[in-house]
Every structure is written in C-alpha cells, then in structure tokens.
C-alpha cells in the first residue's frame, strides 16, 4: 500500500500531545512544527487517524512542498505536483483555505485563485481535456505559506475533527472538543479517578473524559471527505477502522464524572449532548453554582473552562467568581485543579499561584492552562497513577 506524508494540524502549544497520540496509533513521526505534526502512513492510516485522533483538527494528505516568493513561482510549483495521482478526471477540487505567515505572498484570495489555475493547467494536459465537470468526489486543498515555503495538503477530513457529532447546543464560550481532549491528556487524570467540571457549559470536558474512559473513538459517529476517494483508499479500510473502534468501546465501566453549571437550560443541553455521544449514563450533570462545589471523596480532579469575561459587564464579576473558585479549591484541598482561562488575574483572585502554567492559543485568543497540583493519593498495594 502506498505511503504518504500526512499532516495533522492542532492547537498551538499542544503539539506534544498530538505527537504522542499519533505515536500510540503506531505511526512514524516525521516532523513537529508549531500547530502541526507530520507523520508517515498509508490509506489505512488516513482512516484510523481520522477515526481515532482526539486532538488533531484534521488530517491532510501532503501533495507537495516548495519555495515561492512570486505568484509565478507559486503557479509553477503547484503545476509540478502530480495532481493526476490524487484527483480523478471528474473530481471536484478547490483551495478551501490559504494561510500565509512571514511570506512575500500574503493575499489568500490570489493564492487560492492561482493555485486553482495551475492545477487546471496540469490536469488539462494529463487528461487531454479543456473542461472538468467536477461532479465526482471532493478534494479540498489547504495551503500553508511560512517564510515563503509553501506546503500543499489535500483535506481528508472535511469538517474539522472537533465536530464529533454530539454537540448541538453550546454555551456562551464553548471550548472545542479537540482542545478539551488535549487538556485532559495534559493532566494525570485516569478513569479510576473523580473528575468534576464546575463550569461544564455544554458538557465538553465531562463528555470527552467519558469517551476516553470508555475508549469511544471520537470520529466513530461522523463521515469524512476521503471516504469517497475510492481511487486512493479502498472503502473496506473505513469499514475496518469503524469495526476496530466498535470493538474497543465499552460503556459498562464505573466512573465518577460530574458536570455542574449555574444555567439550568445549558445543563439540559449538556445531558442531550452526552446522550448523543453515548455516555449519558457515565456522567452526572446538575445545576449548581461553584460556590456550592464540594465533594466527600479525596484526590479528585477539577478540570474546567471558567468564564473569561467576554463582555464588559461580565468582566466586573470575574474577581468575585475566581475568588469563589479559590474557596472551592480550599475546601477540596486534596484535589488537583486545572483551569483554562484568558483572565490575567486568575491566580491572584484564586489566592494561589499555579504549580504549572502553560500558554495555549484557543483560536486567536491567548489563554493560560493553570495547573494546581494536589497531594498524591496513598498507595494501595501496587504503585498508583500520579495525582
């Protein structure tokens, strides 16, 4: 089976998490860059990466890479790529997105237009035609220009991989499913331990944690663009990937995962999302303010995305709200807490400096992942997981 270079974009600052995921799937890492990981794989890898990766935004098949400082160099570089090896005569192709950073070519619309023209010229010569119906399978392209180096990828995923298919309604400032999964992976939480999200919103943190605990593949309930690329990937490989995912899943495990929110309607939405994800029996959702957060068990995990203060009137309430978070953490003094927020005064209002602080970009918003580590639980017989 032919090998490809595959590119998996991710949130800036979380490349190491995605790298480990890809490695655990059994694929060789080629390169790790800001916001993306490149690895080697065949058609089966395209299927499995889309179905199983929790932290990748999408999976791209790398078609080419070259240097271009002028539009003529861009045109010729695109034209040199063997597009006929990827796109059939009736294939629909276009540049879905072009991103340029520190490059002489910066107009996305011009980059998209010239790329399409160069592809048409190449395919006209190869297919001996002057007209393409583009009625067949879709082959959307994504271009990255970094310091005049052009990387061309064909998008195998379609909709971003954060769209698992379970989230219909969201709160005011939802965290994406891929980011939530990556942040959970940055903690030592395991399914045997308690997890509480006191600002659960649409339930993303609890649902992603439950899916991990039950080994439910994040892409097992959605479709992908490359499913129709029968010229490159045998359809049976998709069936085999889904079959593998179904065999691994098991929701009959015992976990203690809870989600609270002050908004009763959003709690109902979280329950509906959990039902669509197949984990409704694994999570306890309840309407409750953070001021009433308490738990009888020790050594739990608090993982949450508290309000950032998107509106001016919300900002005024932040010191008091983060003060309540600090009080809850003091009540749960044997717990570990992990908070993602853009609020610069978070530590001061909580009344405690984080043990670790990681800068992460949530889209264009710079956020901080504050990590407050609690004491290790006592060992029972054999060595337990870390906090």
């Amino acid at each position: 089976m032919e090998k490809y270079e595959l590119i998996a974009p991710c949130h800036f600052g979380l490349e190491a998490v995605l790298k480990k995921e890809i490695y655990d799937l059994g694929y060789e890492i080629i390169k790790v860059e800001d916001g993306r990981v490149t690895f080697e794989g065949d058609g089966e890898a395209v299927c499995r990466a889309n179905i199983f990766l929790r932290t990748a935004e999408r999976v791209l098949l790398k078609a080419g890479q070259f240097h271009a400082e002028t539009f003529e160099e861009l045109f010729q570089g695109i034209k040199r790529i063997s597009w006929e090896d990827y796109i059939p005569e009736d294939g629909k192709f276009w540049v879905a997105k072009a991103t340029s950073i520190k490059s002489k070519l910066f107009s996305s619309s011009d980059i998209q237009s010239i790329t399409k023209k160069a592809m048409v010229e190449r395919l006209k010569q190869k297919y001996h035609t002057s007209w393409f119906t583009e009625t067949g399978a879709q082959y959307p392209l994504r271009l990255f220009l970094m310091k005049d180096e052009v990387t061309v990828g064909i998008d195998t995923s379609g909709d971003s991989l954060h769209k698992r298919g379970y989230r219909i309604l969201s709160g005011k400032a939802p965290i994406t499913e891929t980011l939530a999964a990556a942040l959970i992976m940055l903690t030592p939480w395991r399914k045997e331990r308690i997890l509480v999200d006191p600002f659960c919103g649409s339930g993303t943190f609890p649902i992603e944690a439950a899916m991990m605990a039950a080994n439910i593949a994040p892409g097992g309930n959605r479709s992908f663009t490359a499913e129709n690329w029968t010229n490159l990937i045998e359809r049976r490989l998709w069936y085999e990937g889904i079959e593998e995912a179904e065999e691994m899943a098991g929701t009959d495990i015992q976990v203690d995962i809870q989600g609270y929110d002050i908004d009763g309607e959003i709690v109902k939405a979280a329950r509906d999302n959990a039902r669509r994800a197949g984990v409704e029996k694994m999570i306890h959702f309840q309407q409750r303010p953070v001021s009433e957060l308490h738990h009888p068990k020790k050594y739990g995990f608090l993982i949450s995305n508290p309000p950032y203060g998107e509106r001016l009137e919300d900002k005024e309430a932040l010191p008091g709200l983060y003060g309540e978070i600090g009080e809850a953490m003091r009540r749960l003094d044997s717990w570990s807490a992990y908070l993602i927020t853009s609020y610069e005064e978070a530590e001061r209002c909580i009344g405690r400096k984080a043990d670790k602080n990681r800068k992460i970009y949530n889209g264009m918003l710079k956020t901080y992942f504050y990590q407050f580590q609690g004491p290790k639980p006592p060992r029972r017989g054999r060595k337990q997981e870390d906090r």
Side-chain angles (χ1 to χ4, degrees), residues 36-104:
R36 66 184 195 239
V37 179
T38 303
F39 63 104
E40 185 179 71
D42 53 16
E44 181 184 71
V46 172
C47 304
R48 296 184 72 239
N50 274 294
I51 293 168
F52 289 104
L53 290 180
R54 299 184 188 277
T55 64
E57 293 301 309
R58 56 185 71 248
V59 178
L60 308 175
L61 191 160
K62 184 177 175 181
Q65 188 170 8
F66 55 89
H67 189 85
E69 298 183 22
T70 67
F71 285 121
E72 177 60 24
E73 289 176 339
L74 175 66
F75 184 92
Q76 295 301 333
I78 294 293
K79 192 175 176 182
R80 280 194 296 271
I81 296 173
S82 302
W83 292 110
E84 65 278 5
D85 293 343
Y86 305 108
I87 302 173
E89 189 171 350
D90 67 345
K92 179 178 175 62
F93 55 97
W94 74 101
V95 181
K97 188 174 182 180
T99 304
S100 178
I101 300 172
K102 298 179 181 178
S103 298
K104 294 180 177 64

Side-chain angles (χ1 to χ4, degrees), residues 265-285:
E265 288 302 311
I266 205 68
V267 169
K268 290 179 184 177
R271 289 195 186 104
D272 288 341
N273 290 341
R275 177 179 49 78
R276 277 185 289 271
V279 294
E280 71 274 19
K281 294 179 181 178
M282 299 174 62
I283 307 171
H284 172 69
F285 287 109

Side-chain angles (χ1 to χ4, degrees), residues 9-12 14-15 17-18 21 49-50 52-59 157 159-164 166-167 174-186 204-205 208 211-212 218-219 222 340 360-363:
C10 64
H11 284 273
F12 284 94
L14 296 173
E15 298 84 2
V17 181
L18 175 56
E21 267 205 287
N50 274 294
F52 289 104
L53 290 180
R54 299 184 188 277
T55 64
E57 293 301 309
R58 56 185 71 248
V59 178
S157 305
D159 286 338
S160 171
L161 294 180
H162 82 263
K163 295 185 178 180
R164 318 285 208 217
Y166 67 73
R167 195 165 73 175
I175 191 168
T176 66
E177 294 88 331
T178 47
L179 179 54
L183 294 179
I184 294 169
M185 290 180 184
L186 279 176
T204 311
F205 270 128
E208 289 295 319
M211 290 177 70
M212 289 181 199
R222 54 160 285 172
I340 181 171
I360 293 168
Y361 280 86
N362 186 0

